[in-house]
Amino acid sequence: MSPPEVVASAPEVTVVAIDGPAGAGKSTVGRGVAAELGVGYLDTGAMYRAVTVAVLRRGIDPDDDHAVASATRSLDMVIDDRDGVTWVSVDGVDATGEIRGSEVTAAVSAVAANSAVRAELVERQRRWVRDHGGAVVEGRDIGSVVFPDAALKLYVTASPRVRAERRVAQSGGDVDEIEDAIRERDRKDSSRTDSPLVEASDAQIVDTTVMSIDEVVADIVGRLRR
Ligand code: DC
């Protein structure tokens, strides 16, 4: 008699979803939590930025939905978080600095509003997390769309003024202008039709307006330990 067939079920992977507007401290919180859990960290904003790099390098109009979608599907993109930096390569060429440039920042909202781009990237994000055996994943739609069953969902936010002040402390600039740009990007991210920035109904809200980001990491890690 042959032994009973063993059906191997894939172990559940742990996913922590971190959503929220730009500049609220998601990356610092995400990396701190990932280090504590001993899992990888995926910055999905870097993926939308990587697509934007490819679009601009190829001279495609970011508003040309069809051309942008087809560029995304054929894109060779490698994302790797090391030493507090998300390293990105686009079609075999390093784009780590380029993804943060002002040209990319100005064009990325149009690319992120493209439904075919979102469908392709959501698929790649799920595969990345599966291949890495779980992760802390940061973005805008992670708890609401990409991983609705995440073990923990955090919505990290802060007032636009505080976010602008932190940006100025980091890389200089005019605080009023930066605050205006932040408000405009929030408006675009929250008002697009496909997967707008929203708080998932079961997300824990983490407001870093008054708490420092380090205090927030300590607080979340404490909760995870308990
Ligand atoms: O977090 P970030 O600023 O690097 O994100 C870049 C852009 O991508 C921003 O316009 C929001 C968008 N984005 C998104 O639509 N969905 C995600 N999961 C992550 C980022």
Side-chain angles (χ1 to χ4, degrees):
M1 205 177 121
S2 57
E5 194 186 340
V6 177
V7 179
S9 64
E12 283 295 310
V13 295
T14 300
V15 178
V16 174
I18 304 192
D19 293 299
K26 297 190 297 296
S27 306
T28 312
V29 171
R31 289 194 176 104
V33 173
E36 177 65 22
L37 293 176
V39 297
Y41 162 76
L42 178 62
D43 172 2
T44 63
M47 298 174 84
Y48 287 94
R49 289 173 179 272
V51 170
T52 308
V53 164
V55 163
L56 296 176
R57 277 187 192 165
R58 294 178 196 183
I60 297 168
D61 175 358
D63 289 314
D64 181 343
D65 282 356
H66 187 74
V68 171
S70 101
T72 308
R73 288 191 205 99
S74 66
L75 190 65
D76 171 20
M77 168 168 56
V78 180
I79 302 271
D80 181 23
D81 201 76
R82 262 181 294 122
D83 307 324
V85 175
T86 291
W87 300 87
V88 177
S89 129
V90 174
D91 291 329
V93 179
D94 179 69
T96 305
E98 207 176 343
I99 61 165
R100 308 288 168 198
S102 54
E103 217 192 332
V104 170
T105 300
V108 67
S109 293
V111 170
N114 183 317
S115 292
V117 171
R118 302 202 71 83
E120 173 68 23
L121 292 193
V122 166
E123 185 54 40
R124 292 191 192 207
Q125 288 154 19
R126 290 181 178 146
R127 202 180 317 138
W128 193 98
V129 169
R130 225 174 23 240
D131 291 349
H132 287 76
V136 174
V137 187
E138 176 208 312
R140 303 292 191 285
D141 60 341
I142 309 305
S144 56
V145 174
V146 188
F147 292 106
D149 298 327
L152 175 67
K153 297 182 189 179
L154 300 173
Y155 187 90
V156 179
T157 188
S159 73
R161 188 68 184 182
V162 163
R163 286 151 58 200
E165 284 167 358
R166 285 186 192 144
R167 181 75 54 85
V168 171
Q170 221 171 38
S171 33
D174 179 85
V175 72
D176 291 324
E177 266 175 35
I178 293 175
E179 184 182 345
D180 285 349
I182 281 176
R183 285 183 188 278
E184 176 59 13
R185 199 132 71 88
D186 283 0
R187 192 192 60 71
K188 284 187 184 159
D189 288 345
S190 311
S191 62
R192 65 166 179 245
T193 336
D194 190 349
S195 313
L197 170 65
V198 285
E199 295 157 23
S201 56
D202 48 353
Q204 301 187 32
I205 313 287
V206 178
D207 191 336
T208 69
T209 305
V210 284
M211 241 184 171
S212 79
I213 293 171
D214 290 342
E215 285 171 320
V216 168
V217 173
D219 176 58
I220 294 164
V221 165
R223 276 192 253 169
L224 285 169
R225 284 197 183 133
R226 283 195 296 277

